[in-house]
Amino acid sequence: MSRGMHGRRGVVNVDRKLDKDVLKRLLKFTLKNNKIQLFIVIIAISISSVVSVISSLFMKTLIDDYITPLTLQSNPNYAPLKQALSIMFMIYIFGIFFNFLYQKILIKVSNGTLRKIRDDSFEHMQTLPIKYFDTNPHGEIMSVYTNDIDTLRQLLSQSIPSLFSSIITLTSIFISMVTLSIPLTLVSLFMVGIMNLALQWIMKKSKKYYIAQQSNLGKENGYIEEMMEGVKVVKVFNYEEEAINNFEKLNDNLFHSSFNANKYSTILMPIMGNLGNISYVLSAAIGGYLAIKLNSLTIGTLASFLTLNKSFTMPISQISQQFNSVIMAMAGAERIFKLLDEESEINDGKVVLVNVKDVNGQLVECEQCTNVWAWKHPDHDGKERLVLLKGDVRFHDVTFGYVPEKVVLKNINLYAEPGQKLAFVGATGAGKTTITNLINRFYDIQEGSITYDGIDVKLINKNDLRRSLGIVLQDTNLFSGTIKENIMYAKHDASDDEVLNAAKLANAHGFIMQLEHGYDTIISSDGSPLSQGQKQLLSIARAALANSPVLILDEATSSIDSRTEKIVQEGMDKLMSGRTTFVIAHRLSTIKNSNVIMVLDNGEIIERGDHQSLLKEKGTYYKLYTGLLEND
Ligand SMILES: Nc1ncnc2c1ncn2[C@@H]1O[C@H](COP(=O)(O)OP(=O)(O)OP(=O)(O)O)[C@@H](O)[C@H]1O
Ligand SMILES: [Mg+2]
């Protein structure tokens, strides 16, 4: 899993034009909800940048117009100097205030944007088809929410603002420098050119290591996750040593890449700093020469210029510091947008499920829950037709494969009349679960059609279709929370009584009451501290609470002991009465009383009939039942 997952991370190519698009999109995203705030930020950054330039320029006025005249006076008057200094102080305060203001707004904007991206991603993820989760390792999807979104934090709160402020500062400093002295400006520009070359060189060197670092980090995370999930298998097969060795290899790679990435980026600052110092010294020497020898420069101008020179090289170092976070953020943003661009499950069915009541033999839609349901069917003439929900499910020549190359179900024809109990039996991998996956449209069929109360399931709104089906899945899935909350997944507004009745029906009530905290017992997402059978009982209780007209039970009682099974069976029989039920069971005793039993083999129905007639046929079912054939 980790290979597929992080291989893609490794090939993120920062040189692509795509980066520009990703950045544009990201900015658009940030702008969308924060236009006013960002406008204030731009103004505040501009003000604080300009203020810092002004204060450098003020140095010239201070020396040339205030301090130098003072030295010539025999009886110096300090009042104008004091005034000038207090003006300067005010300007500083002004600058600090705007600096503080934009930092504060930015923290809110950037964190708000991250929150919005997380919200949007999760919301979008809920709309994705099952196929997406089949084909993408879950670790990779997870890492979008953790690693990838987090790479944006620094980009939004530091890199982009500092880039912007640097551009403003650079422009205003440049203009001021030109007004002070053109020859010295040329000297500074020359040094900036050299700094730029150094920056390019280091960026080129470390870029690939930064990307590798991200990818290796992902691989390592994936491996840790897998080893934790499989901790029991690791222990059973004494795989610890091998696991440690594999981990060390991954960790070595991570070390290598982050060492190299940081090696280059840490020499960046000293190089930039020293080049900046050289620029300062050069300007001072040449400026001194111009001032003293040629007298073409005042001391105040030189002092101002030197301060500007320092401020000129600083933003360049600042930009260079941000480049690694930009690279990482681009890789992260690309993966976030990939998730957001993933196509949602299409849900354009117009037929919806509504509550109805019978008024003089006529179905009438009503708001309140009547427990009688109907499909509301828009007709061509604009009128709506109500079809009573009965639970009549039919397959007509259905052929399906999860991937086009491999057909899993071939030409399946079946019909389940309302209230009937249909059972599927057959070897592992025969396609039993697949049939149920098609009824609720987890996947769409390639050929044939499935009808539900005479309506093609493709026309039914998926949410309503699934609402009408109570399903106990083959893998019991529980969520961290209380037992009660877990049952209530089927109906989030259920009353305590409803939950209790559902649990009683599923025969889960007994064991729940034996737990110390009863229905309020907290369970973890892997269901601990419950046993496998108890978990199954909970998922049956869940289906019972859903109270849907059609039930699908996939191996619902496979982990329950025979005695409990009998009791559960009674409960389930109650649950099933009057409902169309699809049952899949390996234990044939549970399906003996089904109206129709279908024997699946390799995606085809090879026998059908009730228990007695199938036994008489002496075919596969007979062999399965009498134990002449291994059933898995
Ligand atoms: N998500 C999937 N993607 C691709 N192929 C799948 C997927 N799920 C199942 N298959 C394949 O479809 C075939 C039928 O699987 P299915 O789960 O329907 O079997 P089953 O009859 O329920 O078996 P079991 O008794 O073990 O539960 C198998 O060959 C399996 O490899
Ligand atoms: Mg199955």
Side-chain angles (χ1 to χ4, degrees):
M1 134 181 171
S2 46
R3 194 142 305 149
M5 148 181 182
H6 304 294
R8 263 175 243 172
R9 241 169 190 276
V11 296
V12 174
N13 182 353
V14 286
D15 291 328
R16 275 181 305 188
K17 180 183 148 286
L18 210 72
D19 268 5
K20 242 179 106 203
D21 297 338
V22 170
L23 190 63
K24 235 197 238 159
R25 204 166 154 191
L26 193 61
L27 288 179
K28 224 177 179 176
F29 208 99
T30 317
L31 265 172
K32 203 159 76 187
N33 301 301
N34 303 299
K35 281 200 187 83
I36 298 174
Q37 285 96 320
L38 286 176
F39 182 71
I40 300 174
V41 166
I42 290 177
I43 303 280
I45 290 184
S46 310
I47 292 176
S48 71
S49 311
V50 171
V51 161
S52 81
V53 178
I54 288 178
S55 48
S56 307
L57 280 178
F58 198 73
M59 191 80 85
K60 170 179 155 40
T61 323
L62 202 66
I63 295 177
D64 288 350
D65 300 351
Y66 293 89
I67 299 176
T68 317
L70 272 183
T71 55
L72 303 173
Q73 285 168 13
S74 53
N75 198 2
N77 174 12
Y78 290 103
L81 180 64
K82 267 189 207 155
Q83 204 184 356
L85 281 176
S86 49
I87 291 175
M88 182 139 171
F89 180 73
M90 300 282 279
I91 291 178
Y92 268 126
I93 295 287
F94 194 64
I96 288 170
F97 169 74
F98 279 99
N99 202 304
F100 181 73
L101 181 72
Y102 86 72
Q103 299 279 8
K104 202 163 170 197
I105 298 178
L106 268 178
I107 290 173
K108 199 154 175 222
V109 169
S110 57
N111 282 301
T113 306
L114 296 189
R115 178 179 67 181
K116 178 94 179 69
I117 291 180
R118 275 194 214 102
D119 274 347
D120 282 13
S121 309
F122 192 76
E123 205 173 293
H124 184 67
M125 196 177 78
Q126 300 300 315
T127 70
L128 297 180
I130 303 276
K131 205 173 186 80
Y132 175 77
F133 300 94
D134 280 354
T135 45
N136 287 281
H138 294 183
E140 180 171 4
I141 306 173
M142 268 303 298
S143 75
V144 170
Y145 293 92
T146 52
N147 295 342
D148 295 331
I149 291 185
D150 218 58
T151 57
L152 301 185
R153 186 184 303 278
Q154 201 178 347
L155 182 82
L156 294 176
S157 64
Q158 282 181 21
S159 309
I160 293 180
S162 111
L163 210 72
F164 179 73
S165 119
S166 303
I167 290 171
I168 305 243
T169 313
L170 281 176
T171 319
S172 39
I173 292 180
F174 182 72
I175 295 171
S176 322
M177 277 165 77
V178 170
T179 59
L180 288 179
S181 161
I182 291 177
L184 287 185
T185 308
L186 289 177
V187 173
S188 303
L189 275 185
F190 172 72
M191 285 311 292
V192 165
I194 292 185
M195 286 172 87
N196 188 34
L197 283 181
L199 177 64
Q200 297 280 337
W201 179 74
I202 291 172
M203 263 180 77
K204 210 172 121 198
K205 284 270 173 206
S206 56
K207 207 188 238 174
K208 63 170 186 263
Y209 291 113
Y210 268 111
I211 296 168
Q213 175 187 303
Q214 282 282 99
S215 137
N216 290 332
L217 186 67
K219 277 185 201 159
E220 190 167 309
N221 284 348
Y223 193 74
I224 296 172
E225 191 187 299
E226 267 180 48
M227 288 302 114
M228 279 199 307
E229 268 170 27
V231 64
K232 286 185 182 150
V233 179
V234 169
K235 288 201 187 299
V236 165
F237 296 105
N238 290 332
Y239 194 75
E240 290 96 335
E241 240 178 66
E242 196 64 20
I244 293 171
N245 288 339
N246 290 341
F247 181 78
E248 276 174 3
K249 271 183 221 144
L250 291 172
N251 208 12
D252 270 354
N253 291 343
L254 178 60
F255 166 78
H256 180 74
S257 50
S258 48
F259 170 72
N260 280 303
N262 289 306
K263 182 172 84 185
Y264 287 109
S265 64
T266 44
I267 59 170
L268 186 67
M269 279 309 281
I271 289 184
M272 287 297 166
N274 285 321
L275 285 174
N277 288 340
I278 293 176
S279 169
Y280 187 84
V281 171
L282 265 182
S283 304
I286 296 174
Y289 179 79
L290 289 176
I292 297 161
K293 288 274 175 186
L294 305 181
N295 224 352
S296 65
L297 212 66
T298 64
I299 296 294
T301 310
L302 180 59
S304 254
F305 191 92
L306 288 179
T307 323
L308 285 177
N309 176 283
K310 260 264 171 273
S311 329
F312 197 45
T313 49
M314 208 156 69
I316 296 175
S317 314
Q318 247 174 31
I319 295 173
S320 63
Q321 250 186 330
Q322 299 297 341
F323 84 96
N324 54 340
S325 77
V326 175
I327 294 174
M328 291 201 272
M330 288 299 102
E334 202 187 316
R335 286 157 47 87
I336 295 166
F337 290 133
K338 190 173 155 281
L339 171 68
L340 285 174
D341 290 343
E342 206 59 55
E343 239 173 90
S344 297
E345 196 174 13
I346 297 163
N347 188 10
D348 52 4
K350 297 278 186 295
V351 179
V352 292
L353 197 59
V354 291
N355 269 299
V356 287
K357 60 183 173 198
D358 196 329
V359 179
N360 306 328
Q362 196 85 29
L363 289 181
V364 180
E365 185 181 345
C366 57
E367 279 298 313
Q368 72 276 33
C369 182
T370 53
N371 261 334
V372 183
W373 299 87
W375 299 109
K376 192 159 88 174
H377 210 311
D379 262 343
H380 300 298
D381 52 7
K383 280 203 197 123
E384 279 162 346
R385 193 156 49 92
L386 289 172
V387 179
L388 194 65
L389 194 163
K390 297 198 214 92
D392 178 312
V393 178
R394 291 164 197 251
F395 277 48
H396 312 272
D397 289 323
V398 170
T399 296
F400 168 79
Y402 290 95
V403 282
E405 315 78 84
K406 189 174 168 246
V407 174
V408 172
L409 292 180
K410 290 164 221 138
N411 261 324
I412 300 285
N413 278 294
L414 60 89
Y415 54 91
E417 282 176 6
Q420 271 192 337
K421 180 175 167 187
L422 259 83
F424 297 105
V425 295
T428 284
K432 306 179 294 289
T433 301
T434 305
I435 290 187
T436 64
N437 279 342
L438 298 182
I439 299 176
N440 57 26
R441 288 191 71 199
F442 278 169
Y443 301 89
D444 277 329
I445 52 178
Q446 279 108 14
E447 275 173 50
S449 67
I450 301 173
T451 56
Y452 191 163
D453 290 328
I455 308 164
D456 191 323
V457 285
K458 285 189 175 148
L459 301 175
I460 302 177
N461 181 289
K462 277 185 182 164
N463 296 343
D464 288 325
L465 172 70
R466 290 171 191 163
R467 198 146 58 96
S468 76
L469 304 165
I471 305 185
V472 177
L473 294 169
Q474 188 165 11
D475 324 308
T476 34
N477 249 315
L478 298 174
F479 302 90
S480 42
T482 63
I483 289 199
K484 190 171 129 198
E485 282 162 0
N486 264 285
I487 299 177
M488 280 170 70
Y489 263 82
K491 189 177 177 201
H492 39 78
D493 55 354
S495 68
D496 284 359
D497 271 351
E498 283 177 288
V499 173
L500 206 74
N501 287 336
K504 279 185 178 157
L505 199 59
N507 206 37
H509 181 70
F511 89 80
I512 296 173
M513 291 317 283
Q514 275 172 12
L515 297 168
E516 198 185 336
H517 301 289
Y519 283 84
D520 296 321
T521 306
I522 307 258
I523 54 178
S524 67
S525 58
D526 67 356
S528 63
L530 303 183
S531 76
Q532 202 63 33
Q534 290 169 333
K535 285 190 248 174
Q536 275 188 342
L537 293 182
L538 271 197
S539 49
I540 297 170
R542 214 187 255 164
L545 180 65
N547 194 19
S548 354
V550 177
L551 263 182
I552 299 176
L553 308 170
D554 195 349
E555 314 265 15
T557 55
S558 64
S559 304
I560 297 172
D561 67 276
S562 319
R563 198 180 62 88
T564 315
E565 188 193 330
K566 242 199 186 104
I567 310 171
V568 175
Q569 201 58 51
E570 286 164 20
M572 292 232 283
D573 284 342
K574 267 188 261 163
L575 187 64
M576 287 189 260
S577 70
R579 301 170 205 263
T580 311
T581 314
F582 295 86
V583 187
I584 299 170
H586 276 164
R587 260 191 270 174
L588 301 185
S589 54
T590 51
I591 53 155
K592 254 188 346 202
N593 65 348
S594 307
N595 303 84
V596 189
I597 297 170
M598 313 215 185
V599 185
L600 270 171
D601 182 39
N602 223 346
E604 279 175 289
I605 297 177
I606 50 167
E607 284 170 30
R608 74 174 81 208
D610 63 13
H611 180 67
Q612 290 306 334
S613 67
L614 283 177
L615 281 186
K616 270 191 217 130
E617 247 178 62
K618 293 225 151 82
T620 310
Y621 183 80
Y622 175 80
K623 288 183 196 154
L624 282 172
Y625 190 72
T626 52
L628 290 172
L629 197 76
E630 279 288 299
N631 66 3
D632 19 348

